[in-house]
Amino acid sequence: MNAQPSGTWVPGVRVTALSIVLTALAGGAHAEQAVKLDLQVWNLSVKNLDTGPSPYHYGNSGNVFAGVEGDLHALANIPGASFSLQYVFFPFMRGEGQPAQDNWQGKAGSYFAGAPMHNDIDNGYLARFTWNQRLLHDRLELAVGRTNARQHFYMANCANVITCNDPILDNATGILPYPYGSWGGYARYRFDSGNYLHSGVFESNPQHYFKGTKGFDWDPGDASGVSWLAGAGAQADFTQNRYAYHYELNGFHNTGEQIDPMDGRLRRGSDGLLFKFRQTLAREGQAAVPERGWQVFGAWSWSADDMQPFSHFGEIGVTRLGPFGRPQDTLNLKASYLRLGARQAAWQESARLQATGRDERTRRGVSRVELNTHWQVSRNLALEPSVQYIFNPDNFYNPSAPVSGDGAVIALQVMYNLGSCLLYTSDAADERS
């Protein structure tokens, strides 16, 4: 999963057993203010129009995010402490499975085409179960437990969750795809200026994903290593600065075993850099949310390890805030460039020759252009359609297939805040009574 829902917490939902128990422990209605629940349903549909080894295929990925956050100061008189719990279910799946080349990702072939469809091979997974602590007048934030590094280090700057992905982050850091949680610890210190420093270390354990443990195998004995990340950022939203911005630079070190694709040689350690930004250039209106405006966003990431499939990635885009007279919507246009590693390209050529007898050169430079939008249909329902056209597609998900031609992939993400809807319905019923 490339992004996680920020969501609207719904403290008025009282039907869960956990809420009932905490209400009793904390003394009635007091717990209803201390316990925040979240329930969201997302569904992604993708269609390969005319690219990849097997064009015209369709895939679907459904996610139900169920979460709870508890204020331990209110519940147990522990100042600055809270806990977070989130479990994600994977219904409505079509085209998922391992190995990837036999399913939708392999049929699409390239990273850009295949990455939007998430290969959730289990029926659910524990994404987060952490103790959170705020210290030094809330400037220092700490989290420890079962978590995913993307919840702390992935800056979703694209205003669209479908293709806001980073191939270096996905393949070189050793981080599991969201929402697969593992052991981790995270710290962030915020300055008055809005700048911050943060760092974290996370278990890298892909075996728990492949074994279908549902996130409840907490034994780190079969971990491949750990992922260290650290960086700095600067940000201000529209309530703090008329021209809101967010910049973040992170470095990473992955201690796991790296496999040379050419000869299977093993080596430990992989390093790289990750940079993302979003900057407001112009805006209209004095409200917290601009009536209209323009933003630019971009990314650059680099891997220092020649054993990794990709060496660097760059992206630049522009966002129109409030298109068509709707301040809550966005329209985005972006261009991306991805460079395959030399050893990955040579390995693909060798695998292709062996499987098909074709001596075809792998093109190392892959690019795409994409148009997408966020359409807030109602208070609780949002749609994010996108179309991307890929030039010189790589064969990342199906390396032994013939070289693919240029082509397009379309997608539609549907996001429904079911928890907020239930709360709104409950409140409306209370008012009528």
Side-chain angles (χ1 to χ4, degrees):
M1 180 69 66
N2 295 323
Q4 59 271 11
S6 56
T8 300
W9 291 110
V10 285
V13 179
R14 306 169 193 147
V15 296
T16 66
L18 179 60
S19 180
I20 295 172
V21 171
L22 292 175
T23 299
L25 291 176
H30 184 54
E32 294 182 14
Q33 301 174 356
V35 178
K36 300 178 182 180
L37 306 178
D38 187 38
L39 182 61
Q40 298 196 40
V41 180
W42 290 17
N43 191 78
L44 171 65
S45 299
V46 287
K47 173 71 174 180
N48 175 12
L49 295 185
D50 55 356
T51 186
S54 302
Y56 319 119
H57 280 80
Y58 164 83
N60 196 82
S61 174
N63 304 106
V64 178
F65 300 88
V68 59
E69 185 169 296
D71 182 349
L72 292 173
H73 189 187
L75 294 172
N77 198 29
I78 306 175
S82 65
F83 71 87
S84 299
L85 173 65
Q86 185 186 60
Y87 194 87
V88 183
F89 301 91
F90 307 128
F92 326 128
M93 301 300 296
R94 178 177 174 178
E96 83 288 359
Q98 291 287 351
Q101 61 262 29
D102 297 332
N103 297 285
W104 193 89
Q105 288 181 327
K107 292 174 171 42
S110 66
Y111 173 83
F112 283 146
M117 171 66 182
H118 313 300
N119 226 351
D120 298 317
I121 59 178
D122 217 333
N123 57 16
Y125 213 86
L126 179 65
R128 185 177 176 95
F129 187 27
T130 61
W131 177 290
N132 314 306
Q133 185 70 50
R134 292 178 177 268
L135 301 169
L136 304 178
H137 304 288
D138 291 345
R139 290 187 178 185
L140 179 62
E141 304 172 27
L142 305 173
V144 62
R146 301 291 291 181
T147 185
N148 187 290
R150 297 166 194 262
Q151 294 179 317
H152 309 288
F153 285 93
Y154 190 75
M155 176 185 162
N157 65 334
C158 302
N160 182 286
V161 302
I162 299 174
T163 56
C164 194
N165 40 42
D166 187 317
I168 304 298
L169 179 74
D170 289 347
N171 297 284
T173 61
I175 296 171
L176 293 179
Y178 183 83
Y180 295 93
S182 61
W183 289 114
Y186 173 76
R188 174 168 58 181
Y189 185 85
R190 292 181 178 271
F191 300 92
D192 291 339
S193 62
N195 299 339
Y196 59 89
L197 300 173
H198 63 168
S199 180
V201 57
F202 306 88
E203 173 194 15
S204 179
N205 199 331
Q207 290 302 316
H208 287 177
Y209 163 77
F210 290 114
K211 291 178 179 178
T213 65
K214 299 178 174 57
F216 294 108
D217 183 349
W218 294 359
D219 181 5
D222 53 357
S224 63
V226 297
S227 299
W228 297 82
L229 296 100
Q235 69 178 118
D237 60 25
F238 283 113
T239 65
Q240 301 166 314
N241 191 303
R242 180 173 174 81
Y243 299 98
Y245 59 86
H246 192 176
Y247 296 80
E248 186 174 287
L249 174 65
N250 296 305
F252 67 85
H253 176 66
N254 172 18
T255 69
E257 284 188 341
Q258 313 302 313
I259 303 176
D260 190 320
M262 290 298 295
D263 57 18
R265 179 170 54 94
L266 299 178
R267 186 188 70 207
R268 285 196 173 272
S270 178
D271 304 277
L273 296 172
L274 309 166
F275 172 71
K276 287 195 172 186
F277 79 94
R278 173 172 282 276
Q279 174 68 59
T280 305
L281 298 180
R283 56 165 293 171
E284 300 175 17
Q286 301 300 319
V289 178
E291 297 175 7
R292 293 180 180 86
W294 291 97
Q295 293 181 331
V296 292
F297 63 89
W300 175 80
S301 55
W302 166 74
S303 172
D305 184 0
D306 63 358
M307 290 188 182
Q308 299 303 319
F310 307 112
S311 61
H312 60 268
F313 166 72
E315 186 169 83
I316 190 69
V318 61
T319 297
R320 175 59 169 168
L321 304 176
F324 318 117
R326 291 173 50 89
Q328 66 271 42
D329 297 343
T330 61
L331 182 65
N332 311 284
L333 177 66
K334 69 178 182 181
S336 312
Y337 177 80
L338 176 61
R339 185 75 174 173
L340 268 71
R343 303 187 74 80
Q344 170 72 195
W347 174 65
Q348 287 192 13
E349 292 170 358
S350 175
R352 184 181 309 115
L353 179 62
Q354 183 175 0
T356 68
R358 297 187 183 185
D359 188 10
E360 297 177 308
R361 188 177 68 88
T362 296
R363 298 164 294 194
R364 294 183 59 192
V366 186
S367 57
R368 72 172 170 193
V369 292
E370 179 188 342
L371 179 68
N372 63 61
T373 184
H374 175 93
W375 179 29
Q376 194 68 41
V377 180
S378 67
R379 173 179 175 175
N380 300 309
L381 175 64
L383 303 179
E384 292 189 348
S386 74
V387 55
Q388 57 173 323
Y389 194 89
I390 302 158
F391 302 89
N392 293 334
D394 60 274
N395 273 25
F396 176 69
Y397 288 111
N398 200 340
S400 61
V403 172
S404 302
D406 303 348
V409 174
I410 59 175
L412 174 65
Q413 178 88 51
V414 180
M415 298 177 288
Y416 188 66
N417 192 333
L418 180 59
S420 180
C421 179
L422 293 174
L423 174 61
Y424 179 78
T425 303
S426 175
D427 287 347
D430 291 343
E431 290 178 2
R432 289 194 298 270
S433 64

